[in-house]
Amino acid sequence: IDLPTYPSWQPQRAIDHIMLSKGLSSFDARVVPVCFSDHCPVELRVDLPVDLRLRPALHPRVSL
């Protein structure tokens, strides 16, 4: 997907990317408009495999 991200004040070039492994699929890719950087961030939703199991964090942290 060709999403222009640079420069942030008038994006014209697609120079920022997100790479995924073959087993993952994505949807809803978009550029997030920002004014505090020279690049706009790219946001992407990822479909995780249904059989994915994550291990519990060894040192869970909670931010308040």
Side-chain angles (χ1 to χ4, degrees):
I1 299 173
D2 189 18
L3 298 172
T5 60
Y6 180 83
S8 63
W9 53 91
Q10 189 176 17
Q12 298 174 5
R13 296 177 59 198
I15 61 174
D16 297 284
H17 307 280
I18 297 175
M19 300 177 82
L20 294 175
S21 299
K22 288 182 182 181
L24 299 175
S25 59
S26 64
F27 60 101
D28 289 342
R30 72 181 193 104
V31 173
V32 181
V34 297
C35 59
F36 52 82
S37 176
D38 61 341
H39 292 249
C40 294
V42 178
E43 178 180 274
L44 180 71
R45 293 180 182 235
V46 178
D47 278 328
L48 298 175
V50 293
D51 60 343
L52 177 69
R53 299 286 183 254
L54 300 176
R55 288 183 262 159
L58 296 176
H59 304 286
R61 297 179 185 219
V62 176
S63 298
L64 300 176

